[in-house]
Amino acid sequence: MHAVTAHCLNRLAEAESVLVGGLHTAEHTSASVALQLATATPTHATLALLQDAAVAGYGVHSSFVLRLLGEAYRRTQRPLMACVAYRAALAVNPFLFTAYVSLMDTWPGDKPPPPSTSTTSTTNNNNNNNNINNNLDTDPNNIFTLDKHVDLSYCHGTTLCSVINSNNDAFLFQHYNNNSNSDINMSSNTNNPNNSSKNINNNGNNNIAVAMTTTATPLAPPLAPLATPLATLAPPLATQAPPLATLAPPLATLAPPLAPLATPLAPLATSGNRGGGGGHLVTPAVNVTLSCSQLCTPVGGTVTPAPLLLPPHLRQAPRKRAVGGGPPPPLGGRCKQSMLTHLTPSFGVIPLNPPSVGGGGGGAGSPHSSPASSHPHPSVRRSSRLFGSASSVKENNKARGIVPPTTGRRCKPRALRPSSTPSTSTPSTSTTPSMPSSSSSMPSSSTSTASSLIELNNARNTNPSTASIDENIMPGGGGGGGGGVGGNILMPSTGVNTNTTKPTPTPALIIPPPAAADSKPTPQQTPPPPPPPLVVISQEELNRQALGLQKQAAEGLMSLLRLIGEAYRRLSRYDLASSIAAFEALPPHHLMTHFGLTCLAKAHFHSNDFQTSASYFREAMASCPYLLQELDYYSTALWHLQQEAQLSALAQQLLAVDKGRAVTWCALGNCFSLQKEHEAAIKFFSRAVQVEPTCCYAYTLLGHEHVATEELDKALGAYRGAVRLDARHYNAWYGMGVALYRQDLLAPSDVHFRRALAVHPTSRVLLCHIAV
Amino acid sequence: MSLNQSARSTVAGTAAEELDPSKEERAGRVREVGSQAVWSLSSCKPGLGVQQLRDNCLESYWQSDGPQPHLVNIQFRRKTTIQDVWIYANYKADESYTPSRISVRCGSHFNDLLEVEVVELKEPTGWLLITLKDLKDRPGINTYMVQIAVLSNHQNGRDTHIRQIKIHSPVRDAPIAVYAPCAFTSLALRSNQTIR
């Protein structure tokens, strides 16, 4: 059964075979059967069935599985099923923004998709997906169940507050999300890893890095894609973490998988890391919100292969967190990113208190105390948590076991993140109204929480088990997991209040990190030994608080997702004026991410405002020079503006970055087309198509060139290829209309123009063409 | 047509240095359509045939090997509007092989050709442009086949060298020519002309 399902899925998702294969390890046969049934009966009624089956079968992976399934359906021309699957994925995991983006892109357009797919509390009606309301409830609950972690390689050994587990899960989610994002070139979702890398919270990074390391072994293949970005991120973080050496082994494990992915990810990662690293670096200063630009700019220059990055960084990071978190945090951050996609760096950038935590692997107990004292900001807490688990620099990598640290950390980062949007460490909640209270209380509580958490962590770190650190890290990583993490952030603040009472016992339990610092180089997946009973008690309390905080943070994230989702929805409906307004209404640190800028640029592009579009693209490129997501549109904007020098400069730059992307060859083709050398342009566009057969814009441009050379039959073939890939690509429909017009087949030409118009109702050019 | 047009035979002695077919191509008003046609020659020496005539290299040339007139036949799959015929000849390099009288004929097949242009050359040293006009003197002839005949050479040479031949066809930029009777020239309008 299992095999059959696997085969089924593999057939559908040929490109994601690695990930699917990885996921299959966690399947249960019953679930797979159910899933098969669900796939066999594609109706809307099966949404719930699909969801249940996926959740039962894949547990924590269900949302990713569903998203993959959706992607498979999309590729095999079953858009309705794809939409169903995406919605199910979103129902299971409302933070799966990539699924939302795919949903937007696939929606046939006859009936507008419900806009609330990314909303949690307010579900406006999704035709069948009315679980969004419950999602937030069920998700964390699901996550918080321990049994789900049975499959996870990285179990925390300790009592594991559910929070911690959920953190891990969240992390896992993110992880998978990142994985899928990274290995699947989802057009719309490629931003996620990018964003995630950008937004890598120091915390997140650490956590993720830790989580990554822990999960690395079992999930090596899926991790590979994620690992690379994380790895790249990790190094910067690692730099901060003092005990990098301990992390080196875990990172080494990540390095191989990272290596293949190094190129595309490295730049991103480095940028992300930079930001994260910069953020984290030792900054007692709260202002950690690294803007995307921050993240990207420092890194921009450094495109070092991920594996290389890891080891050196690992050695350096004075911060433990960085060390352990080096790889994990980036992952975590990234994971989170992928989930949240558009979460701006403000989210991701929670400064870790590296110095205090600095003890990193070797930090002795002192780091613990220092973090406690120096947690003016959440980041500090995070770091403290990390350091709390300091002993577990390596431990961090391995197990996310440490619940308190992680939860505390997650909470803090989360709290920080929403509040950090204004790029200040102030707890002000930016976009999440639900978090104002928590955020406000965060700073103070955060420190106390941090300290308490650290203490807890320390207590938990009784053994050098990696778990403790991991947990610390995990929270950050888990945060990525989406709401869960957010909740974590909140939790610390609330937890802090309650925890204040607890710190007293915990300090007693603080185990000097040095002991733990023997950082075992091996990223053990084995859960750390259970913490002493004293710690357990506090952990339970902490768990409860963590849960509460998590939920709050999740709500905050949800509201942000809602905003971004709404804006993106308008863009995909080509309701351009309102989408531009919606995007501009986003808080600036969110808008300044690569995703936000490219969306805005595309909105302007489709409304034929090429100057503005080009300027936005320029900004996006300046902020993240290695994110090539939508730059083929940039090259076309320059083509329209006839800016030959800029276009050729863009082409050169893209060539230098990555020759294997269709975007590069599209830019080159546009260059030559601008010079009227259509034959050469045809060659380049064919190469683009060859390099990335799933890039529908390359087909469209190829078609345009064929029309220019009067080879109308070939043009029609190219346009058909584009439409096969993406039925909502109005450019291709327009091109077909033009080609048929040239052949004087007026009626079919009219049909195609109208179809293009159906997709893009406000295109002036289209209207003119139809008029003629 | 032939008589009137032969009376229009031009004396293109010195091909101006500024004449360059690729400039026209880059300007975007014309397109080189030789690749859409089937080329054949009346005769050629081995190694100096159609390839060398169409290889975009001014060093290689076609050398004929038979009786005069030497013919270059260009046959299109569909009726194509031919606006310009560019011929590169260099007296300094080819001397007696340089053509001195070239006739351009158009039609639908070999037995249906009408002479459209006759050109006299006087020691050419570069590109030679022959603009084809139809009966009403509008530029461009809509035809299936073009034949370039070399009637005589300098110094009464028997065989001829021709280094390169290009055929230009006007480009229809706007797909809908009706509502854009004049091509937009301003950037703002042109960017709104098509969806790319």
Side-chain angles (χ1 to χ4, degrees), chain A residues 608 670 697 710 731 772, chain B residues 31 78 172 176 192 195-196:
Chain A
N608 279 6
N670 268 328
Y697 196 50
E710 301 275 343
N731 285 334
V772 174
Chain B
R31 240 180 347 113
R78 46 174 185 258
R172 271 203 299 165
I176 319 292
N192 274 319
I195 293 181
R196 189 172 164 90

Side-chain angles (χ1 to χ4, degrees), chain A residues 66-90:
Chain A
L66 286 172
R67 194 172 69 79
L68 285 179
L69 205 53
E71 181 66 18
Y73 286 133
R74 182 158 78 117
R75 297 224 180 128
T76 50
Q77 310 281 319
R78 280 175 284 178
L80 285 178
M81 267 309 284
C83 296
V84 167
Y86 284 132
R87 258 220 219 104
L90 284 170

Side-chain angles (χ1 to χ4, degrees), chain B residues 26-38:
Chain B
R26 264 181 260 124
R29 289 185 293 272
V30 290
R31 240 180 347 113
E32 216 276 324
V33 292
S35 52
Q36 292 175 8
V38 175

Side-chain angles (χ1 to χ4, degrees), chain A residues 605-765:
Chain A
F605 177 89
H606 290 305
S607 48
N608 279 6
D609 184 6
F610 299 113
Q611 276 290 2
T612 326
S613 161
S615 67
Y616 276 118
F617 273 124
R618 229 190 325 264
E619 270 183 55
M621 268 206 89
S623 71
C624 299
Y626 298 103
L627 281 179
L628 304 183
Q629 196 48 36
E630 308 279 354
L631 293 182
D632 40 6
Y633 285 99
Y634 182 31
S635 64
T636 311
L638 289 177
W639 181 93
H640 274 282
L641 294 171
Q642 316 258 315
Q643 289 176 349
E644 305 164 349
Q646 292 216 20
L647 185 50
S648 68
L650 171 70
Q652 296 281 352
Q653 203 174 342
L654 290 178
L655 256 186
V657 169
D658 191 358
K659 285 196 186 146
R661 295 286 307 273
V663 172
T664 314
W665 297 103
C666 282
L668 279 168
N670 268 328
C671 243
F672 281 89
S673 164
L674 189 58
Q675 303 290 328
K676 306 290 176 191
E677 293 188 22
H678 297 294
E679 314 265 321
I682 286 178
K683 275 197 220 118
F684 284 115
F685 289 128
S686 316
R687 182 105 180 91
V689 161
Q690 200 180 20
V691 158
E692 238 180 78
T694 56
C695 172
C696 65
Y697 196 50
Y699 283 100
T700 309
L701 290 173
L702 184 61
H704 284 309
E705 289 308 310
H706 279 303
V707 166
T709 47
E710 301 275 343
E711 289 165 343
L712 298 174
D713 300 320
K714 290 196 192 156
L716 282 176
Y719 289 131
R720 283 200 195 101
V723 168
R724 176 179 61 86
L725 287 172
D726 183 4
R728 302 201 65 246
H729 198 201
Y730 74 97
N731 285 334
W733 291 114
Y734 163 83
M736 271 203 267
V738 164
L740 291 169
Y741 184 89
R742 293 268 199 128
Q743 291 176 339
D744 287 324
L745 298 166
L746 294 177
S749 157
D750 186 55
V751 164
H752 286 106
F753 281 137
R754 284 189 196 284
R755 205 176 297 191
L757 200 67
V759 173
H760 187 178
T762 59
S763 164
R764 305 181 282 245
V765 186

